[in-house]
Amino acid sequence: MTKLIDRKDADRKFTWDLSSLYKSDRDWEHAFTELDQKTSAVMAFQGRLKDAPTIKGYYDSMTDLSLLLDDLFCYASLRKNEDNGADKGQRMYQRIYSEYTRVLSATAFAEPEILSLDQDTLNEIKESDELKDYRYTLTLLIRRKAHTLSADQEKLLASFTAALGAPKDIANTLQDVDLTFDPVTDKNGQPIEVTGANYILLQSSDDRILRKNSFDSFYKGYEKHINTFAAAYQGAVRSACARAAARGYVSSRAMSMAEECIPEDVYDNLTAAVRDHLPAMYDYAALRKRILGLDELHYYDLYAPLVKGNEKSYSLDQAEEMVLEALSPLGKSYTDTVRKAFKERWMDVYPNKGKTSGAYSSGTYRSNPYILLNFTGTLDSVSTIAHEMGHSMQTYLSNHKQPPQYADYTLFVAEVASTVNENLLVSHLLKTTDDPREKLCYLNQYLEGFKGTVYRQTMFAEFEDKAHRLSEKGEALNASALNDIYEKLIKDYFGENLTYDSQVRLEWARIPHFYRPFYVYKYATSYCAAVAISESILDHKEGALEHYLEFLSMGGSADPIDELRHAGVDLTRRDPIDAALDRFKDYVDQASSLI
């Protein structure tokens, strides 16, 4: 049985170097003492925000405070995620979380104070020379005028930040620390440990007995705690709905989408388009069933390799070269920075006890980007590196191009760069071989990525929308209600070619993105945009690469819809979504022809 190592035993060269944030925990502690002074500097503007020079001074001071807060929060979060069971990281995270809440509350006076000015004065201030560096910031603020509360109300609402975030913390701690699974055996009777980190790896095995046993063990673990997960999620949904109601939005979805200036039609167009293209997903399920030679296709068969005996394991060095070669169409400057990420330890590579599962990209304006991985050597692990490197490169380029107030890009565009990289990787791999078996593996990688990012995330989006609507009607979101919603969606999205396993109704409980309301649909829209962008680059369409790299450098300096238009994609129309779904069908047909 392979056991996870303790964090203290991890090889240092495969862990991230956080020195671009702080060289040590002691340095973090020293920086922490600067918060009071910088917070006081911002609070000194209270009651004075009536003219352009003063508002400019406030924004400068707030930017300075935000940079420090981001550094402190990011470092503590990364230290905690290294080992969620370690006391020190937990204490650091809780301290900065509490301080973050206090600072939000203390500085909540500013936006309502500025917005209390009459519209003509606001417009004049926005267009003044003093505020040219914050003009778009003010534009966004003025758009929120109708949904901004009084200063006292904003302060009160900000003071509840930590409490309203408790459901997410409860679910994460339960999932990453307290949730355990029974060990299982493979087809040879060998014992295998089941963890959150290795579950998908076990589901990707060609050993069907191991897949079924790990599937049963995994959801048995979740079933023991399903009522706690349901209570946590209900708390998160109620919090979002309460915030929306307090700000005068018609729904939590409307609030979420208004924050990024995204028309709600984008959400509905996505779900409608995917529903229209569900027959292609049914064809893919039938193809899997046929290739695997199964009488019944179960949920634990959905990640099984389609070509037995052709599974490869890749070292980290091999993964690096594969990613670099795949991303070469993006230019030497891009790939040189990717090399730097490997060389300078921007990544925390391997699983260890207590480490946060999955993968993500983080970092701040003044630090390197950082990538958390749980690398297991599979093709999917290689693809994950390409994916997270896309995030990190967008962060890196935006930080180097934009001032701090515009460096952060919105969630709506956040998944475009990552999925462009995934598409480039699959395209590269398909060109490296004439072996039908290998081609089928790579096509499967693409189809699985598409299924997981467009179909699956849209299914999640429907689940989330239904859950929030029920809560807004005053109905309870207990385990039974959530399980019923999810069960129907699974049956709708996979059709009759999938033999339904009752445990699947619990899967919603393991999806952490549900605690960031109305985020998941952006994976699907971003993937569709990425298909269009990557094909334009590979086809050497005039200006495609130049416009894409400019898009990566735009941060949050424009409306996200307009940023994507600059990259050549208009997501207010269904066209890019339908075109991407047509590409999925084409790849299903190609895979079928290789059998």
Side-chain angles (χ1 to χ4, degrees), residues 247-299:
R247 294 196 177 281
Y249 288 98
V250 297
S251 68
S252 54
R253 193 183 88 169
M255 179 179 69
S256 177
M257 299 188 73
E259 288 173 353
E260 295 181 304
C261 307
I262 308 298
E264 286 197 76
D265 286 349
V266 171
Y267 203 103
D268 296 327
N269 284 342
L270 171 70
T271 55
V274 171
R275 285 269 175 179
D276 288 345
H277 288 265
L278 282 177
M281 174 52 63
Y282 303 156
D283 289 345
Y284 180 53
L287 178 66
R288 276 198 146 267
K289 183 177 179 180
R290 176 184 169 198
I291 294 176
L292 294 173
L294 300 174
D295 293 330
E296 292 184 344
L297 182 76
H298 287 262
Y299 209 70

Side-chain angles (χ1 to χ4, degrees), residues 440-468:
L440 191 56
C441 283
Y442 300 146
L443 283 170
N444 181 57
Q445 179 71 20
Y446 180 90
L447 293 171
E448 280 298 296
F450 198 108
K451 180 194 78 176
T453 312
V454 179
Y455 282 100
R456 183 172 167 84
Q457 299 299 330
T458 303
M459 183 181 76
F460 288 169
E462 288 207 52
F463 171 84
E464 190 171 24
D465 197 27
K466 292 175 188 299
H468 281 250

